[in-house]
Amino acid sequence: TPKGSCLESVKVAIDTGYRHIDGAFVYFNEHEVGQAIQEKIAEGRIKREDIFYCGKLWNTCHPPELVRPTLEKTLKILQLDYVDLYIIELPMAFKPGDAIYPRDENGKFIYHETDLCATWEAWQSLLEDPISTASNFNRRQLEMILNKPGLKYKPVSNQVECHPYFTQPKLLEFCRQHDIVIVGYSPLGTSRDETWVNVSSPPLLKDPVLNAIGKKYNKTAAQVALRFSIQRGVVVIPKSFNPQRIRENFQIFDFSLTEKEMKEIEALNKNVRYVELLM
C-alpha cells in the first residue's frame, strides 16, 4: 500500500467501530497497523484488549523451528505483546530464506516439502489459549490436523474466500460440525487485477439481485453481500482504503435479509474463485 494509506485507513476503521483487524507480514504494512492501534490507544479511544488482531505465518516459514521467531518478528513490527489469532496463511510452503517469493533461474516458484502437522505442533507450543487457525485449508487438510495424534488445540477458524458467487456450502457445513468458524476474505469480490484475479467472472457488486435487494433496504450491493455472509455465520473482513466505504461496510447491523432473500442470494453461487492463487 502507498505509505501512510494503511495507517489512516486503520484509524478511520477504529473510529468507525471496527475491532477485528486482519493483517499479514507479507502485506508489508503491519508497522502502520501497529502504529494506528498505538495512536488510538494513546487517544483513549480503545484499549489493547478491544482489538482482535489476526496475523499470518508466511509460506517460507513453515519449518517448525521458524514458527516462533516469525511470530516474534511480527509482534516487534506491530509493537504488540500478542496477537489474538495467528494463521498458517497457505497450506503449502516456499523454500525458506530471505526471498518472500523464491524463484529459480527460470522464474518458477521454489517450493518446499512441508508437514502441516509438524507446523501445527510448533504452533501448539506457542499457545496458552486456543488461538490457532488456518487459512485456505480444504476439508482434507483440516481433517489431517483434526486427526493428528496428540492434538492439543484444534483449528478454531479457517479463513477462505467466501461471498455470494462462492458460497462454500460444503466446507461451511463441515466447519460447523467441528466448531470451526469460517472467516470470509474477499466478501465483496475483489479487484480486477488480472495478474492475480480471475476476471472471467463478472464483478460481484454489479449483480442485479444484490442491487435490487439493496434498493429495497436503501443499502448498497456491498452492504447486502456482507449482511448475507454474517447471517450465514461467516465472519467478514472487507478491505477498503476509502473512508466512506469503510463506514458503509460497517452499517450492516440495522437490517436483516428475509429467508427468501437469503435463498435468492445463495442461488447466485457460481463456484468460481476470484482469488485463484495460481502460485
Side-chain angles (χ1 to χ4, degrees):
T1 52
K3 185 177 180 180
S5 64
C6 180
L7 170 66
E8 293 307 315
S9 296
V10 173
K11 290 197 290 186
V12 169
I14 290 174
D15 287 341
T16 299
Y18 290 84
R19 294 296 179 263
H20 177 181
I21 300 174
D22 181 82
F25 167 76
V26 79
Y27 298 164
F28 303 112
N29 56 19
E30 282 190 306
H31 59 293
E32 291 192 10
V33 176
Q35 182 182 342
I37 293 171
Q38 295 300 331
E39 288 184 15
K40 288 301 170 182
I41 290 174
E43 288 177 16
R45 182 83 185 185
I46 55 169
K47 298 177 181 177
R48 167 63 186 94
E49 55 267 31
D50 296 330
I51 294 295
F52 188 86
Y53 187 81
C54 172
K56 301 183 181 77
L57 183 80
W58 181 236
N59 303 15
T60 56
C61 305
H62 280 211
E65 66 275 12
L66 296 180
V67 173
R68 179 179 290 275
T70 304
L71 173 58
E72 290 173 348
K73 185 176 181 180
T74 288
L75 293 174
K76 186 176 180 180
I77 292 170
L78 287 164
Q79 303 177 69
L80 296 178
D81 294 328
Y82 65 93
V83 293
D84 301 273
L85 284 174
Y86 198 47
I87 285 178
I88 297 176
E89 188 156 1
L90 287 166
M92 44 78 75
F94 288 151
K95 177 185 176 182
D98 294 332
I100 301 298
Y101 295 98
R103 297 175 185 265
D104 63 19
E105 62 276 9
N106 298 313
K108 304 265 188 189
F109 286 110
I110 304 174
Y111 297 99
H112 183 71
E113 186 172 329
T114 186
D115 179 350
L116 286 175
C117 287
T119 305
W120 200 267
E121 188 72 32
W123 222 259
Q124 293 187 148
S125 69
L126 298 177
L127 306 179
E128 295 179 2
D129 298 303
I131 60 170
S132 47
T133 68
S135 181
N136 293 295
F137 276 47
N138 58 33
R139 174 173 176 160
R140 180 183 61 81
Q141 291 155 341
L142 286 171
E143 286 180 330
M144 186 166 61
I145 299 295
L146 290 168
N147 295 327
K148 188 184 85 65
L151 181 69
K152 187 177 180 182
Y153 295 125
K154 72 181 184 91
V156 297
S157 74
N158 185 25
Q159 187 180 125
V160 295
E161 181 176 346
C162 193
H163 48 72
Y165 282 179
F166 193 53
T167 54
Q168 301 263 29
K170 291 182 180 179
L171 184 62
L172 180 58
E173 181 56 32
F174 174 80
C175 286
R176 281 176 178 156
Q177 292 171 1
H178 293 275
D179 295 321
I180 298 172
V181 174
I182 288 283
V183 178
Y185 67 73
S186 298
L188 304 177
T190 190
S191 73
R192 309 297 285 177
D193 184 344
E194 60 185 15
T195 62
W196 62 278
V197 171
N198 172 12
V199 296
S200 65
S201 191
L204 176 67
L205 300 186
K206 291 186 178 180
D207 187 89
V209 172
L210 296 179
N211 281 279
I213 293 173
K215 189 174 182 180
K216 171 185 172 182
Y217 294 103
N218 195 27
K219 294 291 182 179
T220 66
Q223 290 168 321
V224 172
L226 295 175
R227 182 71 205 181
F228 165 74
S229 288
I230 66 167
Q231 281 190 215
R232 298 176 75 223
V234 174
V235 174
V236 289
I237 45 174
K239 181 185 76 172
S240 178
F241 295 99
N242 180 307
Q244 180 182 343
R245 291 198 189 110
I246 290 172
R247 296 183 186 103
E248 283 181 353
N249 290 342
F250 196 76
Q251 295 165 358
I252 59 172
F253 304 105
D254 56 353
F255 78 109
S256 295
L257 299 170
T258 66
E259 184 176 346
K260 178 175 179 289
E261 290 163 344
M262 289 292 290
K263 288 181 178 177
E264 287 176 352
I265 299 173
E266 284 175 359
L268 299 176
N269 182 37
K270 302 177 185 298
N271 275 326
V272 174
R273 301 175 186 270
Y274 281 111
V275 184
E276 291 188 295
L277 295 171
L278 296 177
M279 61 190 176

